[in-house]
Amino acid sequence: MPALVLLGAQWGDEGKGKATDLLGGSVDYVVRYQGGNNAGHTVVVGDQKYALHLLPSGILSPGCTPVIGNGVVVDPSVLLSELSGLNERGVDTSKLLISGNAHIITPYNVTVDKVTERFLGKRKIGTTGRGIGPTYADKINRVGIRVQDLYDESILTQKVEAALDVKNQMLTKLFNRRAIGVEQVVEELLGYADKLAPYVSDTVLVLNQALEQDKVVLFEGGQGTLLDIDHGTYPFVTSSNPTAGGACTGSGVGPTKISRVIGILKAYTTRVGAGPFPTELFDEDGEALRRIGGERGVTTGRDRRCGWFDAVIARYATRVNGLTDFFLTKLDVLTGWEQIPVCVAYEIDGKRVEELPYSQTDFHHAKPVYEMLPGWSEDISRAKSFSDLPKNAQAYVKALEEMSGAPISAIGVGPGRTETIEINSFL
């Protein structure tokens, strides 16, 4: 049963889109299993650059069926806009499948997200303001709107009424905002029903039948391990489970059917939004990484915080995801440094710590312990095999592999689809 999970092993933005697209031509289904349009992927095909916010990267591979699983939260306007944009560029989007059990991001979810974040002031989490968290909260509180509800106006109206009974009290009395009308929301949501109908499916059945027929299914996570609601740097996390376990609950495919779990690692480290970041740089090196690496959020447009590679985080990602392989991206960005620091441990209250501390307080006070590795100056963007890399670049990759606890099976040496060195096949 060839089912693979591909996920971010840091704080997201590791280059999952490139990795998924690389495999897209060899797999039959690519499944987004969590998150919403708060996670972006950039995919470069030839001279064309695509920014995907909600759609699985497999939508750019002609023979692949892209799937939005039940664990995803869907903003219909964003989804339809993204589909329209791809259609205008000649991309066939007709094979897309959307789970009828996926939850809808409603207009009031977006409103609540924005006003709540502003209300928090200095304590804000750094959300994208796209309604992701409030939608997942509605899901857990059992007042959420699902895609299938768009096709029963009576049920839809009852659910919107139930949700707004509480939210309007909060908006008017706590935030001094206007109440949101039930009819207005219902009318807007019903307006999406016919446009989404061709894509809505029982994706749990489709995916399990595909695996029974020996089809290859790739599960694509949004964000990254350290943003997982359970295993990330809480509370500076997303509202879902990007870790490998989330692939099962977010798609309806059991864990015994997963054969490989691939973690995407950037050759350095970045994160977007607030929260602890031990290796973050505030100097010329940090600015250089940001500039050379083009470190700006695909979805948010925000500059990413940049720092050196953190092996402690990589080991943690290996453990909590059960990683079998790594895909190392953006190795080319490090070209030009004489020496490259790598964080091998933390110092916390004068003690050396080599594993991620479970205590939020300890992690906030963690100081990186660096090991210096020799850099390289040669252009590596045309390298086709591991042996084509400069000796120091090879040594850097091998050191990261040893520190991280899983083999590095592919290396990104540029943004393009073909600028990848495959060491071991993922399939």
Side-chain angles (χ1 to χ4, degrees), residues 13 46 63-64 88 112 126 129 131 190 196 239 262 312 343 372 381 396-397 412:
D13 306 307
C64 181
E88 289 174 2
V112 168
L190 288 175
L196 293 178
S239 301
I262 305 161
V312 181
C343 174
M372 305 302 290
S381 62
Y396 185 81
V397 172

Side-chain angles (χ1 to χ4, degrees), residues 229-407:
I229 186 68
D230 287 295
H231 303 293
T233 50
Y234 191 90
F236 303 98
V237 292
T238 194
S239 301
S240 57
N241 292 106
T243 45
C248 298
T249 55
S251 67
V253 171
T256 56
K257 296 182 179 179
I258 304 296
S259 54
R260 211 155 179 181
V261 184
I262 305 161
I264 313 303
L265 271 180
K266 197 174 283 185
Y268 47 102
T269 311
T270 62
R271 87 171 287 177
V272 172
F277 183 0
T279 66
E280 183 173 10
L281 296 169
F282 301 94
D283 57 10
E284 293 179 359
D285 284 332
E287 183 54 40
L289 289 173
R290 185 178 298 109
R291 185 185 70 255
I292 300 168
E295 295 300 349
R296 180 177 288 268
V298 178
T299 294
T300 64
R302 293 181 289 186
D303 284 342
R304 295 173 185 144
R305 301 157 63 190
C306 296
W308 299 120
F309 185 85
D310 189 331
V312 181
I313 285 173
R315 286 194 293 273
Y316 177 75
T318 301
R319 183 177 302 114
V320 299
N321 292 297
L323 296 179
T324 59
D325 304 83
F326 278 117
F327 187 134
L328 185 69
T329 63
K330 292 198 169 184
L331 183 64
D332 54 301
V333 174
L334 296 180
T335 299
W337 269 272
E338 290 186 15
Q339 286 191 309
I340 304 172
V342 173
C343 174
V344 297
Y346 300 144
E347 181 184 307
I348 302 173
D349 295 331
K351 296 180 180 179
R352 181 185 173 103
V353 176
E354 298 194 357
E355 301 297 343
L356 196 77
Y358 78 91
S359 164
Q360 176 181 326
T361 301
D362 285 348
F363 193 54
H364 271 277
H365 292 97
K367 296 179 181 178
V369 176
Y370 287 117
E371 179 178 314
M372 305 302 290
L373 299 179
W376 60 92
S377 58
E378 300 92 330
D379 178 12
I380 66 171
S381 62
R382 296 184 181 181
K384 299 300 180 185
S385 67
F386 188 71
S387 60
D388 289 339
L389 293 174
K391 294 298 182 184
N392 285 351
Q394 292 182 32
Y396 185 81
V397 172
K398 289 177 181 176
L400 265 52
E401 180 178 74
E402 184 176 345
M403 294 174 189
S404 302

Side-chain angles (χ1 to χ4, degrees), residues 127-197:
T127 76
T128 59
R130 287 166 168 79
I132 311 297
T135 303
Y136 276 114
D138 280 0
K139 177 178 179 178
I140 299 303
N141 288 327
R142 292 163 291 189
V143 293
I145 309 297
R146 298 193 292 179
V147 170
Q148 60 175 278
D149 297 330
L150 302 182
Y151 305 98
D152 189 320
E153 185 173 351
S154 175
I155 287 178
L156 177 62
T157 302
Q158 291 175 45
K159 287 190 171 185
V160 172
E161 286 176 343
L164 286 178
D165 275 347
V166 176
K167 287 180 175 56
N168 275 334
Q169 293 290 321
M170 179 178 65
L171 288 171
T172 57
K173 295 180 179 179
L174 180 60
F175 298 119
N176 196 29
R177 294 295 185 112
R178 291 180 182 178
I180 297 173
V182 173
E183 289 142 6
Q184 169 191 342
V185 173
V186 171
E187 182 180 357
E188 179 176 336
L189 294 179
L190 288 175
Y192 299 122
D194 289 344
K195 296 175 183 177
L196 293 178

